[in-house]
mmCIF file of all heavy atoms in Angstrom:
data_model
loop_
_atom_site.group_PDB
_atom_site.id
_atom_site.type_symbol
_atom_site.label_atom_id
_atom_site.label_comp_id
_atom_site.label_asym_id
_atom_site.label_seq_id
_atom_site.Cartn_x
_atom_site.Cartn_y
_atom_site.Cartn_z
ATOM 1 N N VAL X 213 10.157 -3.038 -6.466
ATOM 2 C CA VAL X 213 10.048 -2.205 -7.628
ATOM 3 C C VAL X 213 11.151 -1.163 -7.613
ATOM 4 O O VAL X 213 11.486 -0.607 -6.629
ATOM 5 C CB VAL X 213 8.668 -1.518 -7.609
ATOM 6 C CG1 VAL X 213 8.509 -0.560 -8.847
ATOM 7 C CG2 VAL X 213 7.519 -2.500 -7.578
ATOM 8 N N LYS X 214 11.675 -0.941 -8.767
ATOM 9 C CA LYS X 214 12.797 0.040 -8.959
ATOM 10 C C LYS X 214 12.516 0.865 -10.231
ATOM 11 O O LYS X 214 11.654 0.505 -11.027
ATOM 12 C CB LYS X 214 14.113 -0.693 -9.202
ATOM 13 C CG LYS X 214 14.499 -1.720 -8.121
ATOM 14 C CD LYS X 214 15.869 -2.332 -8.411
ATOM 15 C CE LYS X 214 15.806 -3.675 -9.111
ATOM 16 N NZ LYS X 214 15.327 -4.793 -8.482
ATOM 17 N N GLY X 215 13.279 1.913 -10.395
ATOM 18 C CA GLY X 215 13.165 2.708 -11.599
ATOM 19 C C GLY X 215 13.317 1.859 -12.877
ATOM 20 O O GLY X 215 12.642 2.068 -13.821
ATOM 21 N N SER X 216 14.135 0.865 -12.749
ATOM 22 C CA SER X 216 14.469 0.046 -13.964
ATOM 23 C C SER X 216 13.401 -0.992 -14.313
ATOM 24 O O SER X 216 13.391 -1.551 -15.425
ATOM 25 C CB SER X 216 15.783 -0.670 -13.766
ATOM 26 O OG SER X 216 15.773 -1.432 -12.569
ATOM 27 N N ASN X 217 12.529 -1.344 -13.383
ATOM 28 C CA ASN X 217 11.511 -2.383 -13.711
ATOM 29 C C ASN X 217 10.075 -1.860 -13.617
ATOM 30 O O ASN X 217 9.104 -2.590 -13.936
ATOM 31 C CB ASN X 217 11.710 -3.645 -12.837
ATOM 32 C CG ASN X 217 11.557 -3.352 -11.346
ATOM 33 O OD1 ASN X 217 10.950 -2.377 -10.977
ATOM 34 N ND2 ASN X 217 12.127 -4.274 -10.546
ATOM 35 N N ALA X 218 9.934 -0.604 -13.150
ATOM 36 C CA ALA X 218 8.564 -0.070 -12.949
ATOM 37 C C ALA X 218 7.721 -0.007 -14.230
ATOM 38 O O ALA X 218 6.559 -0.380 -14.223
ATOM 39 C CB ALA X 218 8.600 1.265 -12.227
ATOM 40 N N ALA X 219 8.336 0.507 -15.285
ATOM 41 C CA ALA X 219 7.563 0.742 -16.485
ATOM 42 C C ALA X 219 6.929 -0.524 -17.037
ATOM 43 O O ALA X 219 5.740 -0.561 -17.405
ATOM 44 C CB ALA X 219 8.462 1.420 -17.567
ATOM 45 N N GLU X 220 7.680 -1.656 -17.018
ATOM 46 C CA GLU X 220 7.115 -2.881 -17.589
ATOM 47 C C GLU X 220 6.057 -3.449 -16.651
ATOM 48 O O GLU X 220 5.069 -4.076 -17.155
ATOM 49 C CB GLU X 220 8.198 -3.939 -17.972
ATOM 50 C CG GLU X 220 9.184 -4.181 -16.846
ATOM 51 C CD GLU X 220 10.168 -5.267 -17.257
ATOM 52 O OE1 GLU X 220 10.157 -5.727 -18.393
ATOM 53 O OE2 GLU X 220 11.008 -5.602 -16.344
ATOM 54 N N LEU X 221 6.242 -3.241 -15.381
ATOM 55 C CA LEU X 221 5.157 -3.757 -14.433
ATOM 56 C C LEU X 221 3.875 -2.871 -14.600
ATOM 57 O O LEU X 221 2.768 -3.389 -14.762
ATOM 58 C CB LEU X 221 5.616 -3.558 -12.993
ATOM 59 C CG LEU X 221 6.633 -4.655 -12.558
ATOM 60 C CD1 LEU X 221 7.398 -4.205 -11.298
ATOM 61 C CD2 LEU X 221 5.957 -6.010 -12.257
ATOM 62 N N PHE X 222 4.082 -1.542 -14.642
ATOM 63 C CA PHE X 222 2.915 -0.627 -14.693
ATOM 64 C C PHE X 222 2.165 -0.700 -16.096
ATOM 65 O O PHE X 222 1.063 -0.258 -16.227
ATOM 66 C CB PHE X 222 3.282 0.785 -14.402
ATOM 67 C CG PHE X 222 3.879 1.011 -13.022
ATOM 68 C CD1 PHE X 222 4.421 2.227 -12.652
ATOM 69 C CD2 PHE X 222 3.858 -0.004 -12.049
ATOM 70 C CE1 PHE X 222 4.923 2.460 -11.391
ATOM 71 C CE2 PHE X 222 4.420 0.192 -10.773
ATOM 72 C CZ PHE X 222 4.999 1.445 -10.416
ATOM 73 N N ALA X 223 2.887 -1.284 -17.080
ATOM 74 C CA ALA X 223 2.273 -1.397 -18.381
ATOM 75 C C ALA X 223 1.233 -2.538 -18.447
ATOM 76 O O ALA X 223 0.432 -2.652 -19.388
ATOM 77 C CB ALA X 223 3.294 -1.650 -19.480
ATOM 78 N N MET X 224 1.214 -3.399 -17.435
ATOM 79 C CA MET X 224 0.316 -4.551 -17.450
ATOM 80 C C MET X 224 -1.081 -4.077 -17.160
ATOM 81 O O MET X 224 -1.274 -3.138 -16.336
ATOM 82 C CB MET X 224 0.720 -5.600 -16.439
ATOM 83 C CG MET X 224 2.155 -6.148 -16.583
ATOM 84 S SD MET X 224 2.587 -6.794 -18.189
ATOM 85 C CE MET X 224 1.772 -8.348 -18.248
ATOM 86 N N GLN X 225 -2.061 -4.729 -17.808
ATOM 87 C CA GLN X 225 -3.425 -4.257 -17.812
ATOM 88 C C GLN X 225 -4.038 -4.013 -16.392
ATOM 89 O O GLN X 225 -4.726 -3.000 -16.171
ATOM 90 C CB GLN X 225 -4.309 -5.288 -18.533
ATOM 91 C CG GLN X 225 -5.640 -4.789 -18.852
ATOM 92 C CD GLN X 225 -6.495 -5.888 -19.483
ATOM 93 O OE1 GLN X 225 -5.934 -6.913 -19.988
ATOM 94 N NE2 GLN X 225 -7.765 -5.750 -19.493
ATOM 95 N N ASP X 226 -3.726 -4.896 -15.458
ATOM 96 C CA ASP X 226 -4.384 -4.765 -14.164
ATOM 97 C C ASP X 226 -3.478 -4.249 -13.057
ATOM 98 O O ASP X 226 -3.812 -4.323 -11.872
ATOM 99 C CB ASP X 226 -4.940 -6.173 -13.737
ATOM 100 C CG ASP X 226 -6.080 -6.548 -14.661
ATOM 101 O OD1 ASP X 226 -7.115 -5.895 -14.569
ATOM 102 O OD2 ASP X 226 -5.954 -7.499 -15.408
ATOM 103 N N ILE X 227 -2.316 -3.679 -13.416
ATOM 104 C CA ILE X 227 -1.441 -3.085 -12.434
ATOM 105 C C ILE X 227 -1.569 -1.584 -12.483
ATOM 106 O O ILE X 227 -1.337 -0.935 -13.540
ATOM 107 C CB ILE X 227 0.029 -3.528 -12.693
ATOM 108 C CG1 ILE X 227 0.120 -5.059 -12.610
ATOM 109 C CG2 ILE X 227 0.930 -2.863 -11.670
ATOM 110 C CD1 ILE X 227 1.510 -5.665 -12.705
ATOM 111 N N ASP X 228 -2.047 -1.028 -11.396
ATOM 112 C CA ASP X 228 -2.363 0.446 -11.362
ATOM 113 C C ASP X 228 -1.385 1.278 -10.577
ATOM 114 O O ASP X 228 -1.742 2.323 -10.022
ATOM 115 C CB ASP X 228 -3.763 0.562 -10.781
ATOM 116 C CG ASP X 228 -4.808 -0.325 -11.473
ATOM 117 O OD1 ASP X 228 -4.833 -0.384 -12.700
ATOM 118 O OD2 ASP X 228 -5.648 -0.873 -10.774
#
Side-chain angles (χ1 to χ4, degrees):
V213 178
K214 304 182 265 290
S216 54
N217 60 22
E220 51 177 3
L221 285 160
F222 298 173
M224 303 307 284
Q225 192 184 342
D226 291 296
I227 301 185
D228 307 317

